[in-house]
Amino acid sequence: MMRRLLGLCAGLLLLGACADTHDELHWRFALEEVEGSVQHAYAVRFAELMAEKTAGAVHVDIYPYGALGTSGELTQLIQNRAIQLAFASPGHLGTVVPESQVFLLPFTFSDDEDINQQLLTSRGELHELLQAAYQQRQLQLLSLIPEGWMVWSSDRPLRSPDDFRGFRIRTMTSPLLLAAYGAFGASPTPLPYAEVYGALQLNMIDGQVNPVFAIEEMSFYEQQDYLIFPNHLPFVASLVAHPAFYADLAPELRSALDATVHELEDYIHQVQKDFNRERLARILERKDMQLIYLDETERAPFRQASQQVRERFVRDTGPQGERILATLQAQLALLTADTSNTNAAEQDTE
Ligand code: 6CS
């Protein structure tokens, strides 16, 4: 089938009529992260699997961060159909798809990364509601990708909202993050990813928040003394395309894309775990950073402050956002109960 498609395209190209088809067989995939990142590992494997599944008919060209623009600009390139695939993190998507900010709500997810991963990969009501919100804004949600726990990097210890007073923390640009760090007592400063290192170096900010692998590969740790692990929020990225690009794909290509995205779910979860563990070791080999793991008592005031952030989310996103949050919470409760039952059953048989 793929050979026939290519043969047809080659014939039409001679007639000068296959530019669009040719473009779509060379898919441009833009990343919000540099080479060596979780998103890059995803894209490299994605390209391999698409080539395998289409007998080489689809060639994926990867554009790491910096090649095409900021996260917001990549989303616009998708909406304008200038590129075929991109990552769009809810951390930068808040003004485009406000409902995606459900993934920015602190202390809403499980402390167990594997349960959160089951939530991200489930294709039930939550996915459908999010898909509708994305499609309203000319985006097709293809997958939700885990990238690890958000970690605070800082020039001082941060154990309580009091420690956050006057602390200038760089956040991604979604409005809800400003509300969250405001509720924690900090002074949030939204900036694009590429500007964070310089802002730390020039002392325009005191810290920032990202998974460990990103703190290592963007060298943020060089300008910081503390890494603080509150485990308040997993970093989630969404993989997007234009809805018309997806709908217009030949059925064989759409099946190959769907299968690839599905196959990458377990793969990328393991990659992010490995990257975050290995890069922490790499940071500590290079610099004597202080690591602080918040305990339950220290997490409690942040957990309490997070309630007002959920209320703000519901105010900002209305009934659609409220339903997304309620569905997410209900699904997490079910997944948590299932896991406890499985663990209890396993203990009984031991
Ligand atoms: O902090 C940021 O802006 C970025 N952090 C990561 C880990 N991925 C993409 C995002 O743009």
Side-chain angles (χ1 to χ4, degrees):
M1 164 63 203
M2 290 307 160
R3 294 232 156 70
R4 276 214 319 275
L5 227 168
L6 278 178
L8 174 69
C9 184
L12 290 173
L13 266 177
L14 288 175
L15 298 172
C18 204
D20 280 344
T21 312
H22 182 73
D23 273 354
E24 290 187 356
L25 294 176
H26 275 256
W27 292 356
R28 299 185 195 97
F29 188 167
L31 315 183
E32 302 172 289
E33 294 168 5
V34 296
E35 279 184 37
S37 61
V38 171
Q39 291 187 4
H40 188 253
Y42 185 98
V44 168
R45 190 71 193 121
F46 179 95
E48 289 168 358
L49 287 174
M50 280 307 296
E52 272 170 32
K53 289 181 195 304
T54 64
V58 171
H59 182 87
V60 179
D61 298 314
I62 300 170
Y63 294 82
Y65 187 62
L68 295 178
T70 61
S71 293
E73 287 163 346
L74 301 186
T75 302
Q76 284 173 10
L77 290 175
I78 290 287
Q79 290 171 315
N80 297 334
R81 300 202 66 181
I83 59 174
Q84 285 70 35
L85 298 157
F87 279 108
S89 295
H92 290 292
L93 203 56
T95 52
V96 181
V97 187
E99 298 82 357
S100 71
Q101 296 178 111
V102 75
F103 294 111
L104 306 178
L105 295 172
F107 294 99
T108 301
F109 294 85
S110 173
D111 287 347
D112 180 340
E113 276 197 294
D114 296 335
I115 291 182
N116 293 330
Q117 176 64 359
Q118 289 176 48
L119 177 84
L120 297 184
T121 54
S122 65
R123 291 288 162 149
E125 191 186 351
L126 176 65
H127 188 87
E128 279 167 26
L129 292 169
L130 287 166
Q131 185 67 275
Y134 274 68
Q135 285 183 349
Q136 274 170 35
R137 284 74 179 213
Q138 298 305 304
L139 295 169
Q140 178 83 22
L141 174 61
L142 297 174
S143 195
L144 293 165
I145 317 290
E147 299 201 19
W149 292 109
M150 289 300 244
V151 173
W152 299 328
S153 75
S154 165
D155 62 357
R156 67 194 79 165
L158 297 168
R159 295 180 185 275
S160 69
D162 264 357
D163 294 337
F164 261 123
R165 216 175 297 143
F167 185 78
R168 297 166 304 166
I169 188 164
R170 176 270 175 177
T171 65
M172 291 180 278
T173 52
S174 286
L176 205 84
L177 288 171
L178 304 191
Y181 281 92
F184 288 174
S187 305
T189 305
L191 284 176
Y193 201 29
E195 292 176 30
V196 181
Y197 189 89
L200 286 169
Q201 197 173 32
L202 297 175
N203 199 25
M204 291 160 65
I205 49 173
D206 305 310
Q208 63 83 51
V209 47
N210 251 310
V212 167
F213 84 86
I215 295 172
E216 192 275 331
E217 74 188 7
M218 298 299 279
S219 304
F220 300 153
Y221 69 94
E222 290 177 1
Q223 303 295 330
Q224 306 266 253
D225 299 313
Y226 295 86
L227 291 179
I228 298 122
F229 298 76
N231 279 25
H232 65 308
L233 188 70
F235 185 106
V236 175
S238 52
L239 175 65
V240 296
H242 191 282
F245 163 76
Y246 184 75
D248 294 348
L249 283 175
E252 295 81 2
L253 293 186
R254 199 177 319 122
S255 304
L257 172 57
D258 290 344
T260 295
V261 160
H262 182 61
E263 272 180 57
L264 284 173
E265 288 168 351
D266 287 348
Y267 170 79
I268 204 61
H269 188 40
Q270 193 53 52
V271 165
Q272 69 83 5
K273 282 185 182 174
D274 293 345
F275 276 21
N276 281 305
R277 191 187 58 252
E278 291 160 9
R279 307 286 171 93
L280 180 59
R282 201 180 288 175
I283 291 174
L284 296 176
E285 273 165 24
R286 294 179 187 159
K287 189 167 176 186
D288 189 17
M289 303 281 293
Q290 302 292 311
L291 306 186
I292 298 178
Y293 294 88
L294 297 196
D295 63 25
E296 272 317 312
T297 314
E298 290 163 329
R299 292 171 87 210
F302 293 109
R303 189 189 289 281
Q304 203 179 348
S306 300
Q307 180 54 31
Q308 73 187 76
V309 190
R310 279 189 288 275
E311 286 161 12
R312 164 75 187 266
F313 172 78
V314 170
R315 269 204 310 281
D316 288 355
T317 56
Q320 192 173 5
E322 186 171 19
R323 188 154 166 222
I324 287 173
L325 175 58
T327 308
L328 181 145
Q329 287 174 316
Q331 210 163 320
L332 267 178
L334 276 178
L335 289 168
T336 307
D338 278 357
T339 306
S340 315
N341 291 341
T342 312
N343 290 345
E346 277 170 8
Q347 271 173 7
D348 280 352
T349 55
E350 275 170 15

